Amino acid sequence: RIGQELPLGVTVQGAVCVLHTGPTDVVWLDKLKSRLVSRGAKVAFVNVETLQTFTLDSKLPYSIVVNRLSDALPPPLARFAVSFMTYAAAQGLPVINGAAAYATATSKISQHALFHASQLATPQTFLVRNSMDAELAMPAFRGEKVLFKPNAGSFGKGIREFSDLDSLREHSQRPAAFGNDGVALLQKYHNVESVHRVFVLEQKVQCGVSVAIERKSAFT
């Protein structure tokens, strides 16, 4: 039975499955569990890094799946997480922050498309996969500064600023510059003092945060 093949604590039928990595005694998991338990729910934490074998021929023992995974997971682990959520959804289980939302969070290309669909203003951007792509795209910026941004990754990791083609060409000849999925964005640079992050749930703005940009630190 599937309950015998899953980690200890996951065998409770009808539990709320919370996908995560690392320890569970952190505030974003502890508070979630407390609120769910206060409403009479049973909670099963499932660590996608250590999840053991289970049969694909039986229904998962959960009532719902809640994804609390970071969008900065290594690509192989992120792909497994997407597969697990898709598998759960195919069984009819509701999945909160499911495969489509999570995949968008892990890809700047997908986010750019979402911004366009929402009619939000976005900087001029080109998809590039090698140094030749970067060289072909650069003239469109007419000598203005650009940002070279790996498609995958968070917290500004790997983002570089360029104002000349020679430096960009040298950087783009390094395969590692394209991050862990081999794709990057070349984007017009806008000099701003802060960025704004807005959190939306079910078409309602939940909160907004303004973050000052420190010029000596990495881009965000």
Side-chain angles (χ1 to χ4, degrees):
R1 296 174 55 186
I2 193 168
Q4 297 172 330
E5 297 160 340
L6 288 173
L8 185 65
V10 186
T11 59
V12 180
Q13 291 291 329
V16 176
C17 168
V18 179
L19 299 179
H20 73 101
T21 58
T24 58
D25 58 345
V26 290
V27 63
W28 57 88
L29 295 179
D30 191 54
K31 286 193 173 183
L32 175 62
K33 179 180 179 180
S34 297
R35 291 292 296 271
L36 290 171
V37 170
S38 71
R39 293 170 178 257
K42 298 174 183 178
V43 178
F45 287 111
V46 175
N47 188 330
V48 297
E49 291 182 298
T50 59
L51 179 62
Q52 298 170 347
T53 184
F54 62 92
T55 176
L56 297 178
D57 301 321
S58 298
K59 189 172 178 63
L60 291 169
Y62 314 118
S63 60
I64 189 171
V65 176
V66 179
N67 173 21
R68 293 294 290 133
L69 296 169
S70 167
D71 59 11
L73 290 182
L77 189 57
R79 285 194 294 270
F80 170 69
V82 168
S83 295
F84 185 88
M85 288 186 279
T86 302
Y87 173 68
Q91 292 190 353
L93 291 176
V95 182
I96 306 301
N97 190 24
Y102 184 69
T104 299
T106 62
S107 167
K108 293 182 179 68
I109 295 172
S110 299
Q111 293 163 19
H112 199 78
L114 185 63
F115 296 155
H116 268 287
S118 301
Q119 297 183 334
L120 297 174
T122 56
Q124 183 182 22
T125 306
F126 286 82
L127 180 150
V128 293
R129 301 177 66 188
N130 50 52
S131 59
M132 183 177 293
D133 284 352
E135 193 160 347
L136 289 172
M138 195 64 174
F141 296 101
R142 299 179 180 178
E144 296 184 83
K145 288 184 179 181
V146 298
L147 294 179
F148 184 98
K149 308 170 74 172
N151 178 54
S154 298
F155 308 107
K157 183 178 180 180
I159 297 178
R160 294 281 303 276
E161 175 190 336
F162 294 96
S163 57
D164 66 274
L165 180 58
D166 289 339
S167 298
L168 174 62
R169 183 187 294 116
E170 180 181 355
H171 181 71
S172 61
Q173 288 174 347
R174 298 170 48 246
F178 292 84
N180 49 33
D181 68 352
V183 182
L185 279 67
L186 201 58
Q187 190 171 81
K188 182 179 178 180
Y189 173 75
H190 286 265
N191 185 15
V192 295
E193 298 299 322
S194 62
V195 296
H196 303 277
R197 295 173 179 170
V198 180
F199 298 82
V200 179
L201 179 63
E202 293 185 347
Q203 300 182 346
K204 290 185 179 180
V205 174
Q206 305 296 311
C207 67
V209 180
S210 179
V211 181
I213 296 178
E214 298 180 17
R215 294 299 165 193
K216 294 182 180 180
S217 66
F219 295 100
T220 60

